[in-house]
Amino acid sequence: MSVAVVTGASTGIGAATAARLSREPGAELVLVARREELLRELAESLPCRASYVAVDLTDEAAPERIRAHVEAEHDGRLDLLVNNAGASWRGDFGSAGYANVQRHMELNFDAVVRLTEALLPLLRSSAPSAIVNVASTAGRVARARTGAYSASKFALVGWTDSLYAEELPHGVHVGMVLPGFIATEGFPATELREKALTRWLVSNPEVVAEAIYEVGPGGKPERYVPRFYALAAVARVVAPRFIRRVLTGGAAANLTTSTAGDVAPR
Ligand SMILES: NC(=O)c1ccc[n+]([C@@H]2O[C@H](COP(=O)([O-])OP(=O)(O)OC[C@H]3O[C@@H](n4cnc5c(N)ncnc54)[C@H](OP(=O)(O)O)[C@@H]3O)[C@@H](O)[C@H]2O)c1
C-alpha cells in the first residue's frame, strides 16, 4: 500500500502524475485542486482507490483540511507528497509590480511550504517516504516578463535543496523536478508549438509524470524534463554572458510564452 497526495491534480502534469501513480500496485491517491468536478471525474476513472480535496491551496485552512483528510481516510499514513500545483501570470515588473510577485509567491512557494509543514509529521511517521516539488527550469534561468514566476521557483529550488539535506536522517526523501516547456492547460506553449523550428522544445505531461515517479519513489534527487533543459541551467552558471545575450536578443520574446493566467486570469 502506498498513499500519495498530488496537488494540482485536476489537469496537466498533476493529472498525468495521478494516472502514473495509479498504475503502481496498492496505490491510494488523494487528489487536490480547486475544480471539484475535474477531481471527481479523475478519481472515478483511476484504477486505484482515489479521493479528493477540492480546495484553494492559498487559503489559510487548506493545509489542515488536507491533513485531516489523510488522517481520516488513510489513518495518517502518507508515503508521497507531490507539490505540483502552480501557475504563472506574465508581466514585466515595471507594470505588474509587487502584486504579481506576491501572487506567485503565495501559490508557487508559500502554499508548498505550508502544506509540507502540515504533512511532514505524517511523512516522517510513514518513513521511508518522499516529497517531490515541481519547480521549473525557470527556477534556474530567468527570462523577461517571467521574473515573478522565476522568483517563486528559485525560492522553491533553494528551499528544496535544504529540505533534502534536513529530511535525509528522518527517512523522508526530498526530490525535485525542473520541467522545461510542457504543453498543458496552464502553459499551452502555443507560440512554440505553432512553429516547426521550435516545436521540438515542447514536451508532454506524461514525460514529467515519469520523472516525478523517478525522483519520488525512485529516490533520485532531481530531474530536468526533458533532460536537455539541464544544459540551460549549466550554461547560466558557466557562460552567463552568453545566456544574457540570448535572453536579451531578438529571439528571446519567443521564449516567454503566454499562459492561461494571461488569457483568463484565474
Ligand atoms: N507546463 C510547463 O511548461 C511547466 C514548466 C515548468 C514547470 N511547470 C510547473 O508544473 C506545475 C503544474 O503545471 P501544469 O503545467 O500542469 O499547469 P496546469 O495544467 O495549469 O495545472 C496547474 C494545476 O494547479 C492547480 N491550481 C492552480 N491554482 C491553484 C490553487 N490556488 N489551489 C489549488 N490548486 C491550484 C490547477 O487546478 P485548479 O485550477 O482546478 O485549481 C491545476 O490542477 C506548476 O507548478 C508549474 O509551475 C510547468
Side-chain angles (χ1 to χ4, degrees):
M1 188 183 77
S2 189
V3 180
V5 169
V6 181
T7 73
S10 61
T11 57
I13 292 168
T17 300
R20 171 63 186 86
L21 295 173
S22 74
R23 300 205 305 266
E24 291 302 304
E28 298 185 8
L29 303 184
V30 177
L31 313 173
V32 179
R34 291 166 301 181
R35 284 172 289 177
E36 185 167 4
E37 195 50 43
L38 292 179
L39 293 177
R40 183 184 303 123
E41 276 170 25
L42 178 61
E44 287 171 1
S45 74
L46 293 174
C48 71
R49 184 179 165 200
S51 59
Y52 60 85
V53 182
V55 68
D56 186 331
L57 283 162
T58 64
D59 282 354
E60 189 71 29
E64 275 317 309
R65 268 191 64 189
I66 297 165
R67 180 186 162 126
H69 182 94
V70 175
E71 283 173 339
E73 296 291 320
H74 300 281
D75 293 327
R77 176 166 179 163
L78 184 59
D79 302 282
L80 174 64
L81 166 62
V82 181
N83 284 311
N84 163 75
S88 178
W89 301 267
R90 307 310 197 200
D92 62 278
F93 183 66
S95 318
Y98 173 66
N100 200 35
V101 176
Q102 188 179 24
R103 75 171 161 178
H104 279 87
M105 292 303 290
E106 278 173 1
L107 177 61
N108 297 346
F109 184 66
D110 296 352
V112 175
V113 174
R114 290 172 55 242
L115 181 60
T116 304
E117 181 179 39
L119 297 182
L120 196 56
L122 307 186
L123 287 156
R124 283 186 178 177
S125 65
S126 308
S129 55
I131 299 169
V132 179
N133 289 338
V134 179
S136 172
T137 307
R140 301 275 198 204
V141 184
R143 295 152 293 161
R145 303 189 64 246
T146 64
Y149 179 69
S150 268
S152 66
K153 295 295 186 178
F154 268 72
L156 185 60
V157 166
W159 180 71
T160 302
D161 277 348
S162 174
L163 197 65
Y164 171 88
E166 289 174 7
E167 288 306 312
L168 209 55
H170 298 286
V172 183
H173 167 71
V174 180
M176 172 167 67
V177 295
L178 301 99
F181 293 108
I182 312 294
T184 61
E185 179 191 284
F187 299 77
T190 313
E191 300 90 333
L192 297 176
R193 285 188 295 122
E194 276 171 351
K195 295 182 195 135
L197 198 65
T198 51
R199 201 170 293 145
W200 63 276
L201 284 168
V202 185
S203 192
N204 59 66
E206 287 70 29
V207 180
V208 187
E210 197 55 46
I212 287 172
Y213 184 82
E214 281 178 27
V215 306
K220 289 193 176 167
E222 71 177 39
R223 264 282 314 271
Y224 288 84
V225 203
R227 289 178 198 272
F228 64 80
Y229 276 94
L231 295 174
V234 171
R236 174 63 187 82
V237 176
V238 300
R241 287 173 63 179
F242 168 71
I243 289 293
R244 273 199 198 94
R245 209 174 313 133
V246 170
L247 294 179
T248 53
N254 296 327
L255 296 174
T256 303
T257 51
S258 306
T259 65
D262 305 326
V263 179
R266 295 192 284 176

